[in-house]
Amino acid sequence: MGNGADSDFVESLLPGLAALDEPIFLFDADCQLRTYNDAAHEFTGLSGSPPAEITLTDLFDEADSRTLHGAIEEALANDSATARVTLTGEHTQRHVVCSLSSLSVHGEQLVVCLCQEVDQQRDQIQTEQHQRYESLVQQSNDGIAIVQDQQIVFANETLAATTGYDLDALRGKPFYELCTPEYQQLVRERHQRRLDGETPPEQYKLEIETQAGNIRVVDLSVSRTTHEGRPATLVTVRDRTDRQRRQWAIETLQDATRRIQQAETTDDVARVAVEAATDVFGLPYAVCWLHDEETDRLDPAYATTAARNEGFVGSFSPDSYEHEVFRAGELTKYTPEAVSADNSLTNAILLPLGEHGLIGVGGTEHIEFDETIIDVTRSLADHTTTALKRVEQTRELREERALTESIFAALPDVFYAFDEQGNFFRWNDQFAAVTGYSDADIESMHPAEFFVPDERETIYNAIAEVFEHDTTVTVEARFLTSDGERIPYEFTGAKLTDATGEVLGLVGIGRDISDRKQRQRRFEAVFNNTYQFTGLMEPDGTLLEANDAALEFGGLEADDVIGVNVWEASWFQHSPAVRDEVKDAVERAADGEFVRKELPISGADREAFIDFSVRPVTNENGEITLLIPEGRDITELKERERELRRERDHIRRTEAQAAVGGWELDLSTETVYWTDGLRDLYDVSSSFEPSYDESLSWFHPENRETVRDAIDACRTNGTPFDLETRVVTAAGRTRWIRMEGERVDEQDTKKLRGAVRDITERKEREQRLMVFNRVLRHNLRNKLTVVGGYADHLESQLETLAHADDDTAFDEFAVEEALRSVREIRAGSDDLSSISRKVRQFGAITQEVDVTDTVAVRTILTGLGEEYSADYPNATIDLTVEDVHIKGNAEFLKLVVGELVENAIEHNDTGTPRVELTVTADGDDRVQICVADDGPGIPDMEREVLREGQEGSLLHGSGIGLWTIHWLVTRVGGNVSIADNDPQGTVVTLSIPRADA
């Protein structure tokens, strides 16, 4: 057991509690598991009896272990706490809410943990996360500031507390003035360099001077950001002084804990605790008093020499202030001289040790007790309390009683237990509170008396089934309270036995289902009063109800569909694809999403098209309890849409085949019209209607003014125009177009009309020729020059060796230098081969990428991760990949992502490169593939080349890798973006259309 507790400290919970549905755990103050009930055994797959020692990490992952550890500490400090964790069992993984409460058993602080699955107690998690995010800055333990033009424009409360200035004084103050003089110039220069686009160190240590003139050592973390549209820096200030002091206190606590655990007597425990408390507070006077149960006095067990010499080592009677603090059990800071006139201590702190005693630490000079040190010392008191428990005996009976009462108090529902004759022998306060009966009333009543008369037979049958068949039974019935109120409840009962298997009675839990019943009545009131097809489902898609309109359309009876998964009902049996869509809609709605789509359905005498939707219904805790499917008949609307599509189809096909589109501008109204072909070129929907200013905004910023001037000249003078320019589509793709326009006068109306043709492919060919020319002209020439130079040098050495007259030339031959020449020749050759391979590979994949297919991203990237992990064992490749499909083909995806991963590893200047592959699907029917590394980053020259779309004598990349990625991703309708990683490295994001978009 934890902390060296006796092996028979807690052998089991009360007999019969293994029959409870909820798992119950008992932890000590060190977060080690003492025992658990049968439900916890079944829930987690732990052994039938508690192991010798088990900690939180044996049940939970590292993050959840920390969460529950903090909750246990909170419960110890505040009597109760809650936490959300994932409980990992032998074959299952369940999300649970833990309700924790503390209890003191023979002076030892224990924590009872009741686990309930999130499906029973889930609340609005997203709302909590949002609230935590909004308060993050103000709640941060670090000082945070935004600095713009060298001045602080925002600061949080922590920075104000650290510097001693109030928030108004900080705003507008130059940040560097907070630093000591030797650091001010450094801070000013690095701030300006970062705004100028440079990358000075992001983290460094310096000193600041508070308003009171105190010097504090801090860690500074700085990153570039924007504030109100202008460049700024985000500065995080962490006070190292308090952290170092806390670290020292923690190390002292760890050493003391080790020694306390090894102590054999209460005197030894008291001595170690006093010495540790003295070290942590840095005060000379410390005493440990232990409680004598017979006299009810606190007697000194150990004291520092200074405390004995000054006479601070007396006993305390029950009417003393110190004894009151001991009974209260709360850490207390006080002034001894104010309590006792003959006490010269001006500051002191008392640390109760449960029911065992008290530790006091004090000084004769006024000091402020640091809360961080107090927290550490509170932990010391907890460890001391735990150690003292090891030397106490005869407490098993009281432990069981305290444990049982705590469990009953922790249950949020009605708890009860009665014997086979129906006599109650245990119930919790909630039972009495709900029914309104006193404890004496409950003890004298039969279980059936708590229910309305017409439901008592159901209760009798349920009780009989539990005892006769040894099974757990759940029934719904109405509680009949003492004042006649009828409350709908759901009751679960099971047989209660002792350790020998003898039947003690029935134990159960009752849960209020009033809200659920009320929602059901409201739903039924409007369910059948609509012409729409409406139903009611379980979250898994099982139909519970279908309204008359839906049944009549399908020629069905209720029994034909109730209890069936909705996608298996006859309305959807005409098409496997439709069944899959309905199933997908149900699954998404079960995750909290409102889903809506148009689907064909089959009826008794006709087929129809419906506007189909699935809406989730939640309870007051945010739990999804029901789904409501609805369908509105839109058959006539779809017929009209089909007629319109047929009329427009011919023009659309013509424009699509020619990759052209048309436009018109009414000069009197500034109304713009686009044909479907032009909408396709701009990657917008067929219903998109731009304004004049919007139509200009699609043009590339560097070409926009030229286009505007051409349109203005055509508008004013009738001058036609023919331009080659760039546009940035709604999907983020940059396309080259040829745009023609002329003015047309029709009666009293003047219009501009024109056509647009996609010339991206021609421009790409020009780019490829440009890049290949650069590769051949620059990269190949440079590599061949290097190879030739080393070859000449090696040849010269070998000729000298060949014409030597004696053997001494061999001794003078520079073997290492020759080997270096060979290696450089080999490296140059390998580089040339790599360039050649990439050129050939690009040429081959360019021919294939036009054949667009469906690619399973997870399968491809998983294989790539395994391949590169094998090739680069020192590298770490992390994959977080959603199960999505994209347009393209497998070879295209392997080449593009493989190129990014290989570059991220090979160009990383650390010994252990790290690459993160993340794939997500957004709401715009696109897949985001992110490759993040922690290397030196992609040079600005490489990024600028892609942004400009061309190379020149002063602007060119070092290879064809990024160009290849850019071309291939663009060919399948995607785009590439490059950003800096935090704290260093690069994030390359490929945005590619989903296969089902």
Side-chain angles (χ1 to χ4, degrees), residues 585-659:
V586 171
E587 291 173 347
R588 289 163 56 190
D591 288 334
E593 179 182 355
F594 171 70
V595 184
R596 184 176 181 181
K597 56 180 66 179
E598 295 178 355
L599 296 174
I601 63 172
S602 177
D605 53 10
R606 69 183 179 94
E607 290 189 353
F609 222 91
I610 63 171
D611 180 0
F612 178 73
S613 65
V614 184
R615 184 187 306 275
V617 178
T618 60
N619 62 15
E620 66 277 4
N621 296 322
E623 301 168 341
I624 296 175
T625 57
L626 296 170
L627 301 179
I628 300 178
E630 292 183 329
R632 182 170 58 88
D633 193 337
I634 57 171
T635 306
E636 293 183 6
L637 176 62
K638 299 302 290 186
E639 286 294 336
R640 291 195 296 270
E641 289 180 354
R642 279 194 288 270
E643 289 293 334
L644 180 60
R645 284 198 299 271
R646 280 194 291 268
E647 293 176 2
R648 300 173 58 182
D649 186 61
H650 179 68
I651 296 176
R652 174 185 287 276
R653 289 177 180 274
T654 302
E655 288 185 330
Q657 291 176 0

Side-chain angles (χ1 to χ4, degrees), residues 18-276:
L20 289 179
D21 289 340
E22 282 81 356
I24 298 173
F25 298 90
L26 179 65
F27 294 101
D28 63 19
D30 289 333
C31 303
Q32 290 183 313
L33 181 63
R34 288 295 183 87
T35 188
Y36 43 82
N37 68 350
D38 292 344
H41 160 58
E42 296 174 0
F43 201 57
T44 62
L46 290 170
S47 62
S49 58
E53 181 174 342
I54 185 167
T55 61
L56 293 179
T57 54
D58 296 315
L59 291 173
F60 308 98
D61 62 23
E62 183 177 349
D64 282 346
S65 295
R66 291 197 299 270
T67 298
L68 193 54
H69 188 285
I72 291 174
E73 291 184 343
E74 182 182 352
L76 289 169
N78 302 321
D79 296 332
S80 64
T82 60
R84 289 182 179 274
V85 294
T86 299
L87 186 63
T88 303
E90 184 176 1
H91 302 292
T92 60
Q93 188 177 63
R94 301 181 181 178
H95 303 287
V96 297
V97 172
C98 296
S99 300
L100 302 100
S101 60
S102 67
L103 70 156
S104 176
V105 180
H106 294 282
E108 179 180 14
Q109 292 298 117
L110 301 178
V111 173
V112 177
C113 175
L114 170 69
C115 296
Q116 292 182 304
E117 291 191 61
V118 171
D119 285 342
Q120 300 174 355
Q121 289 195 0
R122 180 168 57 197
D123 56 13
Q124 295 291 347
I125 296 175
Q126 292 180 341
T127 300
E128 293 177 359
Q129 292 174 338
H130 179 71
Q131 292 172 345
R132 288 196 298 269
Y133 174 78
E134 288 184 341
S135 62
L136 175 62
V137 170
Q138 290 301 340
Q139 293 179 350
S140 174
N141 292 327
D142 295 335
I144 297 176
I146 297 177
V147 181
Q148 192 174 62
D149 299 328
Q150 298 289 352
Q151 294 183 337
I152 299 173
V153 297
F154 168 83
N156 68 349
E157 295 287 352
T158 304
L159 183 62
T162 301
T163 62
Y165 294 90
D166 60 34
L167 292 175
D168 290 337
L170 284 175
R171 295 189 186 99
K173 184 179 184 66
F175 182 83
Y176 61 83
E177 289 186 3
L178 298 176
C179 308
T180 56
E182 59 267 35
Y183 290 99
Q184 291 186 2
Q185 184 63 26
L186 173 68
V187 172
R188 293 180 61 183
E189 289 179 354
R190 289 186 175 179
H191 171 80
Q192 191 59 46
R193 287 173 58 196
R194 185 168 280 103
L195 295 184
D196 291 341
E198 299 182 25
T199 55
E202 295 182 348
Q203 297 179 340
Y204 48 102
K205 182 168 61 178
L206 51 76
E207 294 179 350
I208 64 171
E209 184 174 356
T210 68
Q211 188 178 33
N214 298 321
I215 305 300
R216 302 188 73 85
V217 179
V218 299
D219 284 332
L220 214 62
S221 178
V222 189
S223 61
R224 182 186 173 103
T225 185
T226 58
H227 178 70
E228 297 183 351
R230 297 178 54 228
T233 56
L234 177 64
V235 182
T236 302
V237 178
R238 176 166 295 178
D239 193 337
R240 290 176 57 89
T241 306
D242 291 342
R243 183 173 65 184
Q244 290 173 344
R245 185 180 181 189
R246 180 180 178 86
Q247 180 63 34
W248 170 81
I250 291 174
E251 291 174 356
T252 300
L253 172 63
Q254 291 172 341
D255 179 68
T257 300
R258 177 184 56 79
R259 290 188 290 143
I260 286 174
Q261 291 175 342
Q262 295 173 352
E264 296 295 333
T265 66
T266 55
D267 289 341
D268 290 338
V269 173
R271 175 180 52 80
V272 174
V274 166
E275 292 173 353

